[in-house]
Amino acid sequence: MAGAVSSGSRLRADARRNSEQIRSAAIGAFQGQGLTVPLEEVAKAAGVSKATIFNRFGGRIGLIESVIEELVASELFAVIDHTRTIDDVGERIAYYLTAIRDLQYRRPAFNDVLLQTYPHSQQLMEICRVGSAANEELIAAARATGALRPEFTADDLHALVVDNALALKHGKRPPRDDYDRRTTYLLDGIRGSSPASSGR
């Protein structure tokens, strides 16, 4: 009996170790290449078979949902929370857009979330919902104070972010200096004429 218990404990410990190895490998792969990276690469990095990923996580969606909090959501929600603490609306806009574009540049997985690459993932769709609500909240405050061009809408902001996601995922990745310079151009182009729009 003792041997059976010991054997069962070892199997559970092996399963936990495999799961953590897979999660660690997935985070590394998703950070570098986005959520569409072949699962074979994740399995190879974890030192397991692709079948083990399915056994432990049920497939790609389950694996994504096991790491998306630390991979994308925690940082995005921190950006949203900090944005809400900024009193000056112009500065709020500048911080938010700069931070979102920075996240897009550094975290390819974030672009897959924005593009709703895996719409069957409830967690990914919830991240999109929270992000959309934050966009609408920010644009409403900015329009009320004249910090943005009066014709600029939350849909426009969404389109700009999604267009950037498409460019980063499928186009040639620009040097960071060029990317940041274009962020400045974007901010200059959407600002309104009120004093609230002068925040940088």
Side-chain angles (χ1 to χ4, degrees):
M1 180 65 70
V5 171
S6 177
S7 177
S9 297
R10 283 199 302 272
L11 287 173
R12 288 192 294 272
D14 289 344
R16 286 194 298 270
R17 184 166 57 253
N18 281 345
S19 294
E20 285 308 309
Q21 288 173 342
I22 293 168
R23 288 186 73 260
S24 179
I27 289 172
F30 293 156
Q31 281 180 339
Q33 302 178 60
L35 301 180
T36 58
V37 62
L39 290 184
E40 289 83 358
E41 292 188 25
V42 177
K44 182 178 180 180
V48 302
S49 68
K50 182 179 175 181
T52 302
I53 294 178
F54 279 83
N55 289 337
R56 297 285 182 265
F57 298 95
R60 182 182 297 274
I61 297 298
L63 180 58
I64 288 172
E65 292 189 337
S66 76
V67 300
I68 199 65
E69 173 66 27
E70 57 195 283
L71 190 66
V72 168
S74 60
E75 194 166 358
L76 172 62
F77 295 162
V79 166
I80 292 171
D81 289 343
H82 183 70
T83 298
R84 289 170 173 153
T85 69
I86 301 173
D87 292 331
D88 182 87
V89 180
E91 292 179 2
R92 198 182 308 163
I93 294 165
Y95 167 78
Y96 181 75
L97 276 176
T98 300
I100 291 297
R101 282 176 58 86
D102 171 67
L103 189 54
Q104 288 186 271
Y105 192 89
R106 291 186 298 103
R107 294 280 189 263
F110 182 45
N111 293 317
D112 286 317
V113 173
L114 291 170
L115 295 172
Q116 299 185 9
T117 305
Y118 298 105
H120 298 302
S121 167
Q122 293 183 359
Q123 287 190 34
L124 265 62
M125 297 309 293
E126 175 62 13
I127 294 171
C128 290
R129 187 198 66 77
V130 172
S132 294
N135 287 351
E136 293 175 4
E137 175 186 317
L138 179 66
I139 297 302
R143 286 166 62 90
T145 61
L148 288 176
R149 296 167 63 106
E151 69 274 22
F152 191 81
T153 68
D155 286 342
D156 292 325
L157 176 56
H158 175 76
L160 288 171
V161 171
V162 169
D163 286 349
N164 191 45
L166 287 167
L168 288 170
K169 184 170 180 64
H170 300 293
K172 182 178 179 181
R173 185 179 178 85
R176 184 69 202 233
D177 287 348
D178 289 346
Y179 184 81
D180 290 343
R181 180 165 47 85
R182 290 161 191 160
T183 298
T184 301
Y185 295 155
L186 171 60
L187 288 168
D188 287 345
I190 67 175
R191 284 192 175 99
S193 58
S194 77
S197 69
S198 61
R200 296 269 177 178

